[in-house]
């Protein structure tokens, strides 16, 4: 039976996993706590790719503390790996440390692991308990989980709006609807993403950098632009603010060939993914990002037209909406959807949380899956 003390130590491991948020992509965020006789003797979280996993960090921490790991219990938020990748298997490290019990929050969906780590530990006489705080652990790694299971990233759509759902005035002015506190929070969500995505409409209107100014990152985040006709100006700031790719459906012509050559000269790759309507195939965009760039999370900041297209094509997993206590009247809405003919065609979402940020509120919702 899992005890209240088990719950407390796993909660500590989950807190540690959060410290890997801006560090370990594309690897999952994992925390580990080692306990001996009811006392924490070591703790750790996943480091940069190719560096220590959480279990190794915790074991080294225990060694540094002069503590014996013989007979200890390890609390890990994700199933320990059991294969050789960029690092040796964590299951073997736990066996070598002679721990007697491992408590695991969630099973690793990676086909190279997926239950094999648990089986390996049990085969060597280790008591393994699973499922404690499973939902919390999975939500910390929803992008990694989805990429491993569906070969797609978790797509988060960020929107800043007034109380009446307006994201920009008729003259396209939109800066700034929400408070600095809301904008700072939004940049934190940017920082944990694998890819930052926008559309050509936003590039034309706002000329964004899509940068992360408030969080130290170990690597540059990829920027991506949906630009069907390859109309992006070569001086656009997003092209000169770190690695960037453009998804296009433009048919080759002298002008398009020249533009592609100019973009290539400044290190910007153009990916052609046309659909049957001559637009960019949005589902294929996210498949490409998962398969070619190991993208766990894609953070989208775009205009209401692209927002609507992404929602209609069921590409969005999560809505991140910042709402200011103002009324703006006419203007662009949250997303261009419809017009619908019946209420049965509505897009349904479930609330994850609601939080106050200075004068604004932040809403987080996840898409409701039909027949789930």
């Amino acid at each position: 039976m899992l005890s209240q003390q088990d719950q407390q130590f796993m909660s500590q491991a989950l807190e540690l996993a959060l410290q890997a948020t801006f560090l370990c992509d594309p690897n999952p965020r994992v925390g580990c706590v080692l306990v001996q006789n009811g006392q924490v003797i070591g703790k750790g979280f996943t480091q940069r790719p190719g560096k220590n996993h959480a279990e190794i960090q915790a074991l080294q921490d225990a060694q540094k503390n002069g503590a014996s790991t013989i007979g200890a219990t390890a609390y890990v938020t994700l199933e320990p790996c059991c294969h050789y990748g960029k690092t040796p298997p964590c299951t073997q490290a736990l066996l070598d440390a002679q721990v007697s019990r491992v408590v695991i929050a969630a099973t690793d969906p990676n086909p190279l692991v997926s239950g094999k780590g648990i089986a390996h530990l049990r085969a060597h006489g280790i008591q393994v308990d699973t499922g404690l705080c499973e939902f919390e652990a999975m939500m910390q790694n929803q992008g990694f989980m989805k990429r491993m299971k569906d070969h797609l990233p978790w797509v988060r759509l960020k929107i800043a709006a007034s109380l009446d759902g307006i994201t920009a005035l008729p003259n396209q002015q939109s800066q700034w609807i929400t408070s600095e506190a809301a904008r700072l929070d939004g940049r934190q969500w940017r920082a944990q993403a694998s890819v930052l995505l926008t559309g050509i409409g936003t590039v034309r209107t706002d000329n964004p950098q899509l940068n992360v100014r408030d969080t130290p990152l170990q690597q540059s985040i990829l920027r991506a632009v949906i630009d069907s006709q390859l109309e992006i100006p070569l001086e656009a700031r997003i092209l000169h603010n770190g690695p960037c790719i453009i998804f296009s459906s433009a048919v080759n012509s002298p002008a398009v060939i020249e533009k592609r050559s100019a973009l290539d000269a400044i290190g910007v790759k153009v990916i052609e993914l046309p659909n049957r309507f001559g637009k960019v195939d949005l589902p294929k965009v996210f498949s490409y990002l998962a398969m070619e760039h190991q993208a766990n999370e894609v953070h989208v900041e775009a205009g209401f037209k692209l927002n609507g297209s992404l929602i209609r094509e069921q590409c969005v997993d999560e809505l991140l909406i910042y709402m200011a206590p103002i009324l703006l009247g006419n203007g662009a809405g949250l997303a261009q959807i419809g017009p619908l003919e019946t209420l049965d065609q509505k897009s349904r979402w479930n609330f994850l949380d609601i939080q106050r940020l200075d004068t604004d509120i932040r809403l987080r919702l996840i898409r409701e899956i039909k027949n789930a």
Side-chain angles (χ1 to χ4, degrees):
M1 290 288 292
L2 294 167
S3 66
Q4 185 176 356
Q5 190 177 58
D6 289 329
Q7 176 83 45
Q8 292 171 350
F9 290 131
M10 186 60 79
S11 294
Q12 290 183 38
L14 288 166
E15 288 293 325
L16 285 166
L18 290 176
Q19 296 185 49
T21 299
F22 309 115
L23 183 66
C24 66
D25 194 74
N27 292 333
R29 303 150 188 161
V30 183
C32 178
V33 172
L34 288 171
V35 176
Q36 186 76 275
N37 298 321
Q39 300 296 318
V40 174
I41 60 172
K43 52 189 178 180
F45 55 88
T46 314
Q47 301 299 297
R48 296 191 307 274
K51 302 298 182 182
N52 287 342
H53 289 186
E55 298 92 328
I56 307 303
Q57 286 291 108
L59 291 169
Q60 290 182 356
D61 188 42
Q63 184 180 38
K64 184 179 68 175
N65 294 332
S68 171
T69 58
I70 299 174
T73 296
Y75 295 85
V76 193
T77 59
L78 191 68
E79 179 181 5
C81 65
C82 54
H83 66 286
Y84 281 88
K86 291 183 179 179
T87 60
C90 292
T91 51
Q92 189 58 51
L94 291 168
L95 291 173
D96 292 342
Q98 299 182 59
V99 303
S100 62
R101 181 180 179 226
V102 180
V103 183
I104 299 168
T107 302
D108 190 337
N110 185 339
L112 295 174
V113 184
S114 195
K116 299 182 182 71
I118 294 170
H120 183 67
L121 291 171
R122 285 177 173 161
H124 287 78
I126 305 296
Q127 177 185 340
V128 180
D129 296 307
T130 63
L132 180 61
C133 301
E134 181 179 25
F135 176 77
E136 293 88 341
M138 292 180 68
M139 287 306 296
Q140 284 185 343
N141 288 295
Q142 69 267 61
F144 177 79
M145 297 286 182
K146 187 177 182 189
R147 179 166 67 88
M148 287 295 141
K149 292 178 180 178
D150 303 331
H151 307 294
L152 290 168
W154 183 268
V155 180
R156 180 178 294 111
L157 176 58
K158 180 257 182 179
I159 301 173
S162 62
L163 279 178
D164 49 349
I166 299 302
T167 58
L169 298 179
N171 63 5
Q172 299 185 325
Q173 182 181 346
S174 62
Q175 298 179 338
W176 299 105
I177 290 175
T178 53
S179 66
E180 174 58 29
R183 298 197 295 275
L184 174 61
D185 188 77
R187 291 196 293 271
Q188 292 289 303
W189 288 101
R190 282 184 188 176
Q192 75 173 54
S194 309
V195 180
L196 305 177
L197 184 143
T198 191
I200 183 60
T202 299
V203 172
R204 285 171 163 171
T205 303
D206 299 334
N207 195 19
Q209 297 183 68
L210 278 189
N211 60 1
V212 178
R213 302 189 293 275
D214 313 291
T215 305
L217 299 176
Q218 298 297 318
Q219 54 194 344
S220 297
I221 300 177
L222 178 67
R223 278 81 173 167
V225 182
I226 305 296
D227 182 8
S228 293
Q229 300 306 309
L230 212 56
E231 299 168 315
I232 192 166
L234 291 175
E235 63 275 11
R237 295 196 294 176
I238 197 170
L239 301 180
H240 306 278
N241 192 42
C244 182
I245 59 176
I246 297 175
F247 293 100
S248 175
S249 60
V251 177
N252 276 341
S253 66
V256 168
I257 293 171
E258 182 180 356
K259 188 64 164 289
R260 286 174 61 100
S261 178
L263 289 165
D264 184 65
I266 60 174
V268 177
K269 187 176 182 180
V270 177
I271 309 298
E272 294 182 3
L273 291 176
N275 64 16
R276 60 194 179 95
F277 302 108
K279 300 289 186 179
V280 173
D281 191 315
L282 295 175
K284 286 185 179 179
V285 164
F286 297 107
S287 177
Y288 175 91
L289 290 173
M291 300 299 290
E292 300 297 327
H293 292 276
Q294 294 184 288
N296 290 330
E297 295 182 21
V298 176
H299 179 91
V300 181
E301 295 188 25
F304 81 115
K305 291 183 180 179
L306 181 54
N307 289 351
S309 297
L310 291 170
I311 291 172
R312 282 196 308 274
E313 299 200 38
Q314 298 189 358
C315 294
V316 180
D317 299 290
E318 179 181 342
L319 295 176
L320 179 68
I321 302 176
Y322 298 89
M323 192 161 283
I326 57 176
L327 299 172
L328 294 178
N330 293 332
L334 299 175
Q336 189 177 61
I337 300 174
L340 306 182
E341 295 181 357
T342 70
L343 288 175
D344 291 338
Q345 297 173 306
K346 59 185 176 290
S347 175
R348 294 188 63 90
W349 300 78
N350 295 323
F351 281 103
L352 273 179
D353 65 55
I354 303 174
Q355 184 173 330
R356 177 79 177 264
L357 295 169
D358 193 13
T359 57
D360 305 328
I361 58 171
R362 185 191 73 194
L363 311 174
R364 290 182 62 209
L365 307 96
I366 56 173
R367 181 163 55 93
E368 183 177 286
I369 307 299
K370 291 182 179 179
N371 300 321

